[in-house]
Amino acid sequence: MKKFTSVNDLTDIKSAVQEAFEIKKNRFKYVEVGRNKTLLMIFFNSSLRTRLSTQKAALNLGMNVIVLDINQGAWQLETNRGVIMDGDKPEHLLEAIPVMGCYCDIIGVRSFAQFKSKEEDYNEVIINQFIKYSGRPVFSMEAATRHPLQSFADLITIEEYKKTEKPKVVLSWAPHPKSLPQAVPNSFAEWMNVTDYDFVITHPEGYELDPMFVGQAKVEYNQMKAFEGADFIYAKNWAAYRDEHYGKILSTDRSWTVGKEQMSVTNNAYFMHCLPVRRNMIVTDEVIESPQSLVIPEAANREISATVILKKLLEGLE
Ligand code: AN0
Ligand code: CP
């Protein structure tokens, strides 16, 4: 594999999930694969899980790891070409990227949607520049429109816990006080759409996602109705995508907070969230602390998804 920015970079999802289960049984099985190889992780945004799980995955494979937080100690980077750099940014991404490529074999990038321009975000300008100018295989640690390492871990988790062949999986919007990217729900939908699960998306009107990601999913505006008979509830907030509302908060309606009442109409569903989660905004204490909550095993599977992907990227090195 030469890059990993979406589900489309995996040729065979089923075998990738099988490989994940194999690695979960013996996570050091491929400790020789990354010997003398260096992973560079670049963060433009904060992280707890991605930072730790990806680093752990690299260690599982015998790699060395370097981590750089652009906003803590690096030069502030100009990202637009043609700008007269007389402001507060001393370095341009166009030099920084190839320099970063000199010190490593594989690069992971976290660069969230900035909500300044929908076009810029949805063209994945930042991570695409890494792909173009670093000379290294690049993988997403959540870019502007997708978070594939998360979605892969989510799929592994559902495959581990499902009780029927084709579970009903519901992605539900939930309220949040800040504007959050669509990357997690976009990506989750994209991965669910390559399974044969019964996949439903529910959100208030105005929160429609890019149809490219919604695909064949059912969209149901009534959350209670969507939850009926569900086997998995996947909660997430996102800001509006559509039109002039792009990046805006249209609702903070706490009747959408996932609580006992909503869970009671499900098929004793498991609760999932990528974390970090705001309790009693997205989900009540009661639901996240219940035995049906998978948030910790889901986070644990981030190490597994990252190990599979890094292994594939290492195997693709010339
Ligand atoms: C980020 C998001 O919603 O994309 C990261 C989630 C993994 N969440 C926050 O910024 C709170
Ligand atoms: N789920 C996830 O990616 O968490 P972090 O933002 O903490 O990395």
Side-chain angles (χ1 to χ4, degrees):
M1 192 161 59
K2 296 292 181 198
K3 71 170 180 77
F4 179 67
T5 58
S6 89
V7 70
N8 301 318
D9 293 313
L10 279 180
T11 42
D12 183 350
I13 313 297
K14 283 209 168 96
S15 82
V17 171
Q18 284 317 309
E19 197 164 3
F21 288 138
E22 181 203 20
I23 282 172
K24 196 159 180 174
K25 279 192 220 124
N26 177 8
R27 54 198 77 197
F28 295 107
K29 186 170 175 186
Y30 300 104
V31 69
E32 290 301 320
V33 175
R35 189 208 260 291
N36 292 338
K37 299 292 182 215
T38 300
L39 169 65
L40 173 59
M41 295 164 61
I42 301 292
F43 289 94
F44 287 89
N45 315 93
S46 305
S47 166
L48 186 155
R49 278 142 293 273
T50 305
R51 180 186 300 272
L52 297 179
S53 63
T54 311
Q55 204 160 336
K56 176 61 167 68
L59 298 176
N60 292 346
L61 295 163
M63 298 184 82
N64 302 309
V65 186
I66 312 174
V67 184
L68 180 65
D69 287 285
I70 295 293
N71 297 322
Q72 285 169 22
W75 303 110
Q76 287 299 300
L77 297 175
E78 176 58 59
T79 54
N80 293 319
R81 199 171 165 278
V83 168
I84 297 170
M85 288 172 59
D86 61 354
D88 55 358
K89 292 177 178 156
E91 181 152 29
H92 203 288
L93 200 59
L94 290 171
E95 279 76 53
I97 291 175
V99 168
M100 291 174 193
C102 296
Y103 309 135
C104 64
D105 300 283
I106 295 177
I107 305 186
V109 181
R110 167 161 286 202
S111 60
F112 288 178
Q114 295 178 321
F115 289 147
K116 281 187 227 144
S117 146
K118 182 174 181 170
E119 203 191 334
E120 221 172 274
D121 289 342
Y122 273 70
N123 284 330
E124 290 286 7
V125 170
I126 303 284
I127 198 161
N128 280 335
Q129 289 192 328
F130 274 86
I131 292 170
K132 198 164 167 193
Y133 299 116
S134 71
R136 302 292 174 202
V138 170
F139 67 96
S140 164
M141 301 196 298
E142 185 173 337
T145 64
R146 293 175 177 88
H147 192 0
L149 284 175
Q150 179 65 49
S151 314
F152 186 18
D154 297 334
L155 176 63
I156 295 165
T157 310
I158 296 173
E159 285 293 302
E160 266 183 319
Y161 284 86
K162 73 178 188 186
K163 295 185 185 112
T164 52
E165 205 39 50
K166 294 178 185 177
K168 177 173 176 181
V169 178
V170 180
L171 165 63
S172 178
W173 179 92
H176 192 280
K178 300 256 163 30
S179 284
L180 296 187
Q182 294 102 24
V184 171
N186 282 346
S187 196
F188 185 71
E190 192 168 58
W191 284 68
M192 290 300 104
N193 278 322
V194 298
T195 69
D196 50 13
Y197 304 160
D198 176 10
F199 178 51
V200 179
I201 305 176
T202 184
H203 53 71
E205 279 188 46
Y207 278 98
E208 290 77 11
L209 294 165
D210 182 344
M212 184 174 93
F213 294 103
V214 174
Q216 299 306 306
K218 261 175 257 146
V219 177
E220 168 58 65
Y221 292 101
N222 182 322
Q223 192 193 33
M224 276 303 214
K225 224 168 139 189
F227 276 38
E228 277 170 20
D231 299 298
F232 292 87
I233 299 299
Y234 192 98
K236 183 70 183 86
N237 172 267
W238 62 88
Y241 166 76
R242 271 198 176 173
D243 314 322
E244 74 280 9
H245 301 302
Y246 181 68
K248 301 266 169 8
I249 296 174
L250 307 177
S251 167
T252 49
D253 180 358
R254 287 197 21 237
S255 73
W256 281 76
T257 302
V258 178
K260 208 169 71 177
E261 198 188 329
Q262 285 99 326
M263 294 304 279
S264 73
V265 303
T266 68
N267 182 25
N268 195 25
Y270 288 111
F271 174 82
M272 296 177 73
H273 188 281
C274 63
L275 307 181
V277 73
R278 289 187 184 237
R279 284 178 174 226
N280 305 309
M281 286 297 295
I282 303 284
V283 57
T284 62
D285 289 322
E286 205 173 10
V287 169
I288 199 169
E289 290 170 3
S290 76
Q292 293 310 100
S293 172
L294 295 183
V295 295
I296 307 303
E298 185 182 353
N301 279 334
R302 289 293 307 276
E303 175 188 342
I304 307 303
S305 67
T307 307
V308 174
I309 297 306
L310 279 176
K311 174 176 170 280
K312 288 184 186 296
L313 291 169
L314 284 164
E315 287 165 347
L317 290 176
E318 262 109 51

